[in-house]
Amino acid sequence: MGSRAAARERRRSLLADDLNLEHISVGDLFRWNVQHRTKLGAQVKRIIAPGHLVDDDLVESVVRRRLDDHD
């Protein structure tokens, strides 16, 4: 049996496909920036390294930037 997360991912994928929407994962955006050593990635890494949560303002700015990418 698959995990609950796998089931949610499957439903998310079906819903996005049915509605012709792009799925945006803030976690994926943060991981990409950390991996590619961007300024944002460095900022996120400094915040999460000691176990803190990324504040809402930073999350909002990342999502807004992603929404500005018309793909």
Side-chain angles (χ1 to χ4, degrees):
M1 265 190 124
S3 70
R4 293 174 72 178
R8 284 192 304 268
E9 178 64 21
R10 177 75 179 135
R11 285 193 304 271
R12 187 246 4 120
S13 178
L14 290 172
L15 185 61
D17 290 346
D18 286 349
L19 298 176
N20 195 29
L21 298 171
E22 186 67 32
H23 172 71
I24 298 174
S25 166
V26 175
D28 287 347
L29 294 172
F30 285 155
R31 282 186 286 277
W32 186 92
N33 280 280
V34 169
Q35 182 180 10
H36 289 87
R37 301 176 193 266
T38 65
K39 282 184 181 182
L40 172 63
Q43 185 178 4
V44 168
K45 195 172 183 178
R46 279 193 307 274
I47 295 168
I48 63 172
H52 297 118
L53 297 175
V54 177
D55 65 66
D56 291 343
D57 291 335
L58 184 56
V59 172
E60 181 183 348
S61 73
V62 168
V63 171
R64 284 186 185 279
R65 278 189 248 166
R66 176 59 183 87
L67 290 173
D68 287 340
D69 294 340
H70 302 284
D71 54 310

